[in-house]
Amino acid sequence: MKFFKKQPKETKNSKKNANDQGIKPLTRWRFITVCSFVGLSLFALVARAAYIQVINPGKLIHQGNLRTLREEIIPATRGIIYSRNGDPLAISVPVDDVWIDPYQILKLDSLQKTDRWEALAKVLNLNLADIVNKINNNKSRQFMYIARQVTPAIGKYIDELNIDGVGLKAGSRRFYPTGEINAQLVGITGIDGKGLSGIEATYNNWLSGTPGKMIVRKDRDGQVVENIAIQKPVLGHPLTLSINEKIQSEAYKLVKQAVLDFDATSATIVMVDVKTGEVLAMATAPSFNPNDRSHMNFADMRNRAIADAYEPGSTMKPFVVMAGLANGVIGPHTKINTGNGRLLLNGSWVRDDVPIGDASVDKILRYSSNVGASHISLAMPIRMLLNEYSKVGLSSPSGINLIGATTGYFPERRRWSNFERATVAFGYGISVTPMQLVHAYATLGDMGVYHPLTILKTDKPTPGIRVNSIKNARTVVNMLETIVHPGGTAVRAAVPGYRVGAKTGTAKIADAGGYGNGYMGWTAGVAPISNPRIATVVLVNNPQSENFYGGFVAAPLWSKVVGTALQVLNVPPDANTIYQNPYIYPHGKPKKDGSDDNAKS
């Protein structure tokens, strides 16, 4: 009996089958594992892609935008400044700024194009070695200016050079058609287009407008590949000044010539329309050319008409008379004894150049008697006189609000000596700007109505405030006319064909601790007398002439500019003028004649 079956004989094929059966489970496990990992990976990738693109796409978009989106500013064209008659005084013209990209220049080996770089340096008037050093010293930078505000013609030439890493940026700069005539008044702008002085600075926000912007997408080489959005700029507003360009040009010609003729430190003319308070002219010399700043002297940028205060001398005497009339101290026909032209007060002498003895008020003005003005001042409390000065605008801002304007100096004392009360009556111990003084004369010319001054053209003038009676104002204005007649100190201020009134003044230039050797010559007045239209002030500062009086150096300028203005404004000549001025001279210093003594003030 056989208890065991005979085992089949192991063969080669049987071994192979056994191996196949033993390995098969392992193979499946590996396959499943690999497939699982692949599936999970695909699922993770899909899930991540879905999260990034669907659920939370903002982060990568933001990162991409940081690398490709750029904001470019579109500058707003600055507003044009006009004169009252529409003459452009400041305009914006297109220019180009030249920039370089040192990183790209070195990367593309752009400097090998030597001939083109030499042409670039030559047209920009630069040293090629300096440009190369700037590139090598800023290898990582991608934007640098090498020239600002070149003309469009030069910009076109540079663009045609086609130098890798060199580009142009469009912009604008200010051009001033009238040049030095209106330089201090209009002012200038900086390289960034912002106002630095004058009208440009005072009304910068109004003129500037609002810049626009453009969002673009750039590639790695800085080239624009897509325009995303654009916000257009808001153009600057135009501005029309009250200045009459014809009168302004004549005024500047006269002050410039006066500086040359008298070797003066400066000269200034200011003119105001007495009915509206509009400034018709404001000229100062020496001036500067705002279109060429290579030789600009910063001292010449100062608008002396509003920024510099001086002692006004005898030009204050009409307001002393006005104060006396208003307070009942004197009447139009009051006689004042000026003696021998000398008055001792507190140990100091008040002197007249020409003794006039017993004199009426109009004669005191005509001969510019310091003693007579002192008697009027001493006859009333000092506060009454100072109040009169304040009412006509001599101690307050003029109202034109230009940057740099000052208000002069009026002393505030609890006690005044008699000598101080006398000197303040003929313009010493106080200081005013030419603009403040012309404001006072404009108030007088409008028969005692005070108007705030304006440098902007206005169709509806600000209503004035009456500060003096018509009767007193007319009395003083009529007295001013006598000063330009023979025997008056302002004989050279007479205007052929017109009735005018003017007062001259001469004051020493204040120095540290007292007075120096220099003088200032003034002439101020209104025209025409019958119905005043304009008030004008002329100042010649520190003339180097033996005849330094206002009647010599300033009165002829006053006559010339007022005569021009009356014709420009179409003011008809007076039918019967008492006096024709034989002393007007176009250039040079006046010659001595028999009226020398009468021209002193």
Side-chain angles (χ1 to χ4, degrees):
M1 183 175 184
K2 295 182 180 178
F3 295 96
F4 300 96
K5 290 182 179 182
K6 188 177 179 179
Q7 297 293 324
K9 188 176 180 180
E10 188 176 352
T11 65
K12 187 176 181 180
N13 290 333
S14 64
K15 289 181 178 181
K16 183 177 180 181
N17 292 335
N19 290 337
D20 289 342
Q21 293 175 0
I23 295 173
K24 189 173 183 180
L26 180 60
T27 302
R28 286 179 179 175
W29 180 80
R30 289 177 177 174
F31 177 75
I32 292 171
T33 302
V34 171
C35 288
S36 299
F37 274 113
V38 172
L40 288 173
S41 298
L42 289 174
F43 178 78
L45 289 174
V46 171
R48 180 62 176 166
Y51 177 80
I52 291 173
Q53 298 186 34
V54 179
I55 300 175
N56 187 25
K59 183 177 181 180
L60 283 183
I61 293 175
H62 176 67
Q63 292 294 327
N65 288 341
L66 289 177
R67 292 167 172 78
T68 60
L69 292 187
R70 296 292 181 267
E71 180 179 289
E72 297 186 348
I73 300 298
I74 305 174
T77 302
R78 196 170 176 86
I80 300 175
I81 301 175
Y82 297 98
S83 72
R84 69 180 302 109
N85 296 322
D87 305 301
L89 305 181
I91 60 177
S92 294
V93 296
V95 293
D96 289 314
D97 295 327
V98 186
W99 57 269
I100 58 174
D101 182 344
Y103 177 79
Q104 287 293 328
I105 291 172
L106 296 174
K107 178 182 177 181
L108 301 175
D109 205 14
S110 175
L111 289 174
Q112 294 301 317
K113 301 176 182 179
T114 308
D115 55 338
R116 298 187 184 185
W117 282 97
E118 288 177 348
L120 174 68
K122 184 176 180 180
V123 75
L124 295 178
N125 197 25
L126 298 174
N127 190 310
L128 179 57
D130 293 338
I131 299 177
V132 173
N133 289 336
K134 183 176 290 188
I135 294 171
N136 291 327
N137 293 334
N138 298 275
K139 297 180 180 180
S140 61
R141 296 187 61 176
Q142 294 183 306
F143 185 88
M144 294 180 65
Y145 286 117
I146 59 170
R148 303 292 301 271
Q149 298 186 347
V150 301
T151 64
I154 294 177
K156 182 180 179 182
Y157 176 79
I158 293 173
D159 186 54
E160 292 175 350
L161 290 176
N162 195 25
I163 304 174
D164 294 328
V166 177
L168 300 172
K169 184 178 179 181
S172 64
R173 71 174 177 86
R174 292 298 254 184
F175 175 73
Y176 302 93
T178 58
E180 60 187 20
I181 294 175
N182 294 285
Q184 294 101 338
L185 170 60
V186 175
I188 59 174
T189 59
I191 196 72
D192 57 356
K194 293 183 179 179
L196 298 180
S197 63
I199 294 292
E200 294 278 29
T202 304
Y203 295 94
N204 182 67
N205 292 338
W206 177 264
L207 294 166
S208 295
T210 304
K213 61 181 178 180
M214 183 168 58
I215 307 299
V216 299
R217 193 178 302 279
K218 294 186 176 182
D219 61 17
R220 59 179 297 178
D221 296 324
Q223 301 298 319
V224 176
V225 296
E226 182 183 6
N227 292 323
I228 306 298
I230 183 171
Q231 179 181 331
K232 294 183 179 180
V234 178
L235 302 182
H237 302 287
L239 196 65
T240 301
L241 305 186
S242 58
I243 294 297
N244 185 303
E245 188 54 32
K246 291 182 180 179
I247 302 175
Q248 176 78 1
S249 297
E250 176 67 12
Y252 178 71
K253 181 181 72 174
L254 290 171
V255 293
K256 184 177 182 180
Q257 191 64 47
V259 170
L260 295 175
D261 290 342
F262 298 110
D263 194 21
T265 300
S266 64
T268 301
I269 292 178
V270 188
M271 184 180 294
V272 168
D273 187 320
V274 303
K275 304 296 184 183
T276 66
E278 293 173 291
V279 179
L280 301 178
M282 187 193 304
T284 297
S287 185
F288 67 98
N289 184 357
N291 299 312
D292 180 13
R293 307 180 192 180
S294 57
H295 305 291
M296 187 172 65
N297 183 352
F298 285 99
D300 295 338
M301 292 178 61
R302 190 171 69 254
N303 188 346
R304 298 174 185 270
I306 61 173
D308 291 0
Y310 312 88
E311 291 185 328
S314 294
T315 58
M316 302 298 284
K317 290 173 183 175
F319 304 104
V320 177
V321 173
M322 178 72 78
L325 292 173
N327 292 286
V329 173
I330 57 173
H333 306 292
T334 299
K335 294 280 187 177
I336 296 175
N337 183 10
T338 65
N340 61 353
R342 301 181 70 188
L343 178 63
L344 181 64
L345 296 171
N346 301 119
S348 298
W349 287 99
V350 175
R351 295 182 175 87
D352 288 337
D353 290 320
V354 180
I356 56 176
D358 286 335
S360 60
V361 176
D362 64 310
K363 188 174 182 181
I364 287 173
L365 285 182
R366 186 164 66 254
Y367 285 89
S368 196
S369 170
N370 292 336
V371 174
S374 298
H375 280 301
I376 298 174
S377 176
L378 292 171
M380 58 183 150
I382 185 62
R383 183 50 53 189
M384 289 184 176
L385 178 58
L386 296 180
N387 183 54
E388 179 62 35
Y389 288 171
S390 297
K391 287 194 303 183
V392 296
L394 288 169
S395 63
S396 58
S398 61
I400 60 174
N401 298 323
L402 286 177
I403 290 177
T406 60
T407 56
Y409 169 72
F410 267 68
E412 290 291 339
R413 299 192 182 106
R414 295 182 61 184
R415 295 181 180 178
W416 290 71
S417 69
N418 285 338
F419 184 73
E420 290 171 336
R421 293 171 61 190
T423 57
V424 79
F426 49 88
Y428 279 85
I430 59 175
S431 63
V432 298
T433 65
M435 185 60 68
Q436 287 178 298
L437 187 59
V438 79
H439 196 183
Y441 273 84
T443 302
L444 179 61
D446 200 26
M447 299 298 117
V449 176
Y450 175 94
H451 294 276
L453 300 187
T454 177
I455 195 62
L456 304 180
K457 182 180 179 181
T458 177
D459 296 324
K460 295 182 179 179
T462 303
I465 302 172
R466 178 160 296 284
V467 295
N468 288 116
S469 69
I470 297 176
K471 179 181 178 181
N472 289 339
R474 170 49 70 183
T475 298
V476 175
V477 167
N478 288 343
M479 290 179 182
L480 287 179
E481 184 180 16
T482 67
I483 304 175
V484 302
H485 293 173
T489 61
V491 63
R492 286 176 169 80
V495 178
Y498 291 93
R499 294 175 58 200
V500 300
K503 181 71 189 78
T504 60
T506 307
K508 285 189 174 182
I509 296 177
D511 203 350
Y515 292 93
N517 297 321
Y519 290 86
M520 291 169 290
W522 295 86
T523 298
V526 297
I529 290 297
S530 54
N531 183 21
R533 174 73 185 277
I534 56 175
T536 308
V537 166
V538 176
L539 168 65
V540 179
N541 181 22
N542 197 25
Q544 302 301 305
S545 168
E546 61 183 43
N547 295 325
F548 50 78
Y549 295 100
F552 282 101
V553 297
L557 307 182
W558 194 94
S559 172
K560 187 69 174 177
V561 73
V562 168
T564 298
L566 293 174
Q567 294 178 24
V568 169
L569 298 175
N570 293 319
V571 177
D574 292 298
N576 296 307
T577 53
I578 299 176
Y579 182 57
Q580 300 293 319
N581 188 352
Y583 297 107
I584 296 176
Y585 55 95
H587 305 297
K589 301 177 183 180
K591 297 179 180 179
K592 287 216 170 197
D593 53 48
S595 64
D596 280 359
D597 291 337
N598 293 332
K600 294 180 180 181
S601 173

